[in-house]
Amino acid sequence: MRGRITKDGIRIYEDADFAGMREAGRVAAMILDDIGALVVPGVRTGELDDFIRSEVERHGVTSATIGYKGYQHASCISVNQVVCHGIPGAKIPKRGSDVILDADILNIDVTVIVEGWFGDTSRMYAAGNVKPFRQRLIDVTHEALMRGIAAVKPGNTFGDIGHAIQTFVEANRMSVVRDFCGHGLGRVFHAPPNVLHYGRPGTGAVLEEGMFFTIEPMVNLGRPETKVLADDWTAVTRDDRDSAQFEHSIGVTATGCEIFTLSPGGKFFRP
């Protein structure tokens, strides 16, 4: 039965709800498409966030992050060894400013609200001449996300998703962050389930048609451990090695899933 809550606390949405998520995801993904051309050496993360804020206003939608638990920015921008929740305009760790340099890699995470529906997505970008090991990290992370998404269909479990991601990442001698995970969403920003990016096949809640959630693996070149800085937001790798992340919002369908946040322009992490 649709429109109910499972025993695991996961909401099952109705067929008509897919349209709302589809539009919210489209707007969020469009903003990530449009910002790609601005990710160049010399740009400030604060300038990137200003552009995102202006795009949110131009589309006539609402930023889900401005005012969320006191946060005052329209995006999170995480550079190099920052795993997630990097604050635009703040000094980049190990650096005296928020200026992006040649060969930096960065994740930009945007969530918008469109008529009550939340569209949440993030993407990696490379500024200038990215080093091969950083490009490989980006490629592995994106492929890990897509392998996790490929495991989504009714009857599979959340453990199947995590296992698909973890085994691919570790086969490439990288590690999956354990401290952060994906989440349910819909008419709320965060809801059950917690979507782990590691796990064992056949474990966890069973996937059902009508579930909405994010998959957003964070992959480290080194060890998986993280720490949160004194600002209580910015999470970095403990070993100071690079990290990458991609995120899609998806809905489980009768035969698999629909990705709500695919790039309208057919782009992924390159501008």
Side-chain angles (χ1 to χ4, degrees):
M1 182 177 65
R2 308 296 286 275
R4 62 182 171 87
I5 306 292
T6 72
K7 63 182 178 60
D8 299 295
I10 304 169
R11 178 172 294 279
I12 306 297
Y13 286 92
E14 300 180 0
D15 290 344
D17 297 332
F18 277 73
M21 288 298 291
R22 197 173 292 131
E23 180 60 15
R26 186 189 69 82
V27 173
M30 188 181 302
I31 291 171
L32 290 188
D33 274 8
D34 291 343
I35 201 169
L38 303 183
V39 181
V40 295
V43 71
R44 294 179 178 272
T45 61
E47 293 172 337
L48 296 175
D49 188 69
D50 288 343
F51 173 81
I52 292 168
R53 188 185 297 255
S54 68
E55 286 296 284
V56 167
E57 294 174 356
R58 184 175 72 84
H59 286 286
V61 300
T62 303
S63 168
T65 55
I66 296 175
Y68 178 76
K69 295 185 177 180
Y71 196 76
Q72 293 301 317
H73 304 277
S75 64
C76 293
I77 302 179
S78 303
V79 183
N80 298 340
Q81 74 269 35
V82 178
V83 175
C84 59
H85 303 157
I87 301 174
K91 292 180 181 179
I92 298 168
K94 311 293 183 182
R95 196 172 296 173
S97 73
D98 70 330
V99 175
I100 298 297
L101 303 180
D102 184 60
D104 279 347
I105 58 172
L106 55 153
N107 176 273
I108 302 179
D109 191 337
V110 171
T111 307
V112 298
I113 310 170
V114 181
E115 296 185 355
W117 296 99
F118 285 71
D120 188 2
T121 186
S122 80
R123 218 180 283 176
M124 291 299 296
Y125 299 84
N129 300 302
V130 66
K131 298 181 185 301
F133 73 90
R134 284 181 165 167
Q135 186 62 59
R136 182 167 174 270
L137 171 63
I138 290 173
D139 292 342
V140 167
T141 305
H142 185 264
E143 179 63 20
L145 168 66
M146 299 313 292
R147 289 186 179 220
I149 290 173
V152 177
K153 63 180 181 180
N156 277 5
T157 69
F158 283 96
D160 294 330
I161 298 172
H163 180 74
I165 293 168
Q166 180 184 5
T167 53
F168 178 74
V169 169
E170 293 179 352
N172 282 276
R173 298 186 177 183
M174 299 178 192
S175 65
V176 176
V177 170
R178 266 71 166 172
D179 297 333
F180 302 94
C181 62
H183 54 88
L185 80 172
R187 285 197 173 275
V188 294
F189 197 171
H190 297 99
N194 289 332
V195 183
L196 305 182
H197 304 116
Y198 59 95
R200 292 181 291 113
T203 62
V206 176
L207 298 168
E208 296 185 42
E209 184 180 359
M211 289 180 173
F212 295 163
F213 52 85
T214 71
I215 304 178
E216 47 184 296
M218 287 143 275
V219 175
N220 294 348
L221 274 177
R223 294 185 56 81
E225 292 84 9
T226 70
K227 62 181 178 181
V228 177
L229 300 183
D231 59 28
D232 290 330
W233 284 104
T234 308
V236 300
T237 56
R238 282 193 173 272
D239 61 8
D240 205 34
R241 298 191 69 186
D242 291 335
S243 186
Q245 180 188 20
F246 283 90
E247 176 184 15
H248 275 313
S249 297
I250 67 171
V252 183
T253 66
T255 58
C257 70
E258 178 178 350
I259 304 173
F260 298 127
T261 47
L262 284 175
S263 160
K267 303 176 183 180
F268 289 98
F269 48 83
R270 295 181 179 87

